[in-house]
Amino acid sequence: MGLRHLFTGQQFRAIAAIFVAIAVVFAALSWYAIHIAPEASGQAEIVLNDFYRDCQENKYAEARRFVARDLRAQIDARDLAARWKKFAASNGPMSRWIEAGGGKIRGGVKLWPRYVTFDTFVLGTRTERGRVLTRLVPEDGGWRIDQFEIYP
């Protein structure tokens, strides 16, 4: 006895349509994970590296161009400098940064709402510790930092 005997023709077609819809959604998400997510992570990583480079060079006003509008409205260049000065007081000036898992920075990509997260070890000249958690969101055709927390 097959499934067709358990359902009417209309019920069977409705169930089959649901399974097809689920398969299409799964295929689309798989395609996104394979093709789009790594690209988004790479583009966001470039923005994050540029942000860190500006901060490392004490160019806080320039670094703010990588910050999303909502967060930029909350922190100015002095606030950004104060956050990194607190880091420097504990660790020395920023010397380099790597992904917290070691090696190359890799972002965790979320589909909805769309954002990329990074967990980065930021190392000072005196110590080998310091961690920064950031989240980047798409804004004005690029990626911008909308959450930023330094753990010296």
Side-chain angles (χ1 to χ4, degrees):
M1 180 185 262
L3 288 176
R4 284 189 172 261
H5 297 292
L6 296 175
F7 303 103
T8 67
Q10 187 175 6
Q11 290 172 327
F12 185 78
R13 283 190 294 279
I15 291 170
I18 291 171
F19 280 115
V20 168
I22 290 170
V24 167
V25 168
F26 179 76
L29 290 175
S30 296
W31 181 86
Y32 177 85
I34 292 168
H35 297 286
I36 304 299
E39 181 181 327
S41 177
Q43 292 168 351
E45 178 185 345
I46 291 168
V47 170
L48 186 61
N49 279 322
D50 290 345
F51 172 77
Y52 283 148
R53 193 169 298 107
D54 282 350
C55 291
Q56 182 183 37
E57 295 170 359
N58 299 317
K59 298 178 182 175
Y60 302 109
E62 291 89 345
R64 288 184 70 239
R65 74 180 182 272
F66 302 112
V67 176
R69 277 186 298 276
D70 290 345
L71 183 57
R72 202 169 43 239
Q74 298 171 27
I75 63 170
D76 61 14
R78 288 183 316 232
D79 296 326
L80 193 54
R83 290 181 185 206
W84 285 109
K85 284 184 188 349
K86 183 177 177 183
F87 172 88
S90 299
N91 303 293
M94 181 192 329
S95 63
R96 63 191 176 104
W97 49 93
I98 58 172
E99 190 247 342
K104 185 177 185 295
I105 293 179
R106 289 182 301 271
V109 180
K110 304 297 181 218
L111 178 62
W112 190 260
R114 191 168 176 215
Y115 63 87
V116 180
T117 57
F118 291 95
D119 184 0
T120 312
F121 285 132
V122 177
L123 310 173
T125 56
R126 289 196 310 264
T127 65
E128 291 287 311
R129 64 170 195 231
R131 195 171 202 157
V132 180
L133 301 176
T134 52
R135 184 174 87 167
L136 289 87
V137 296
E139 183 176 279
D140 298 332
W143 290 93
R144 299 290 178 261
I145 297 166
D146 84 325
Q147 290 182 5
F148 168 70
E149 195 63 47
I150 301 173
Y151 299 96

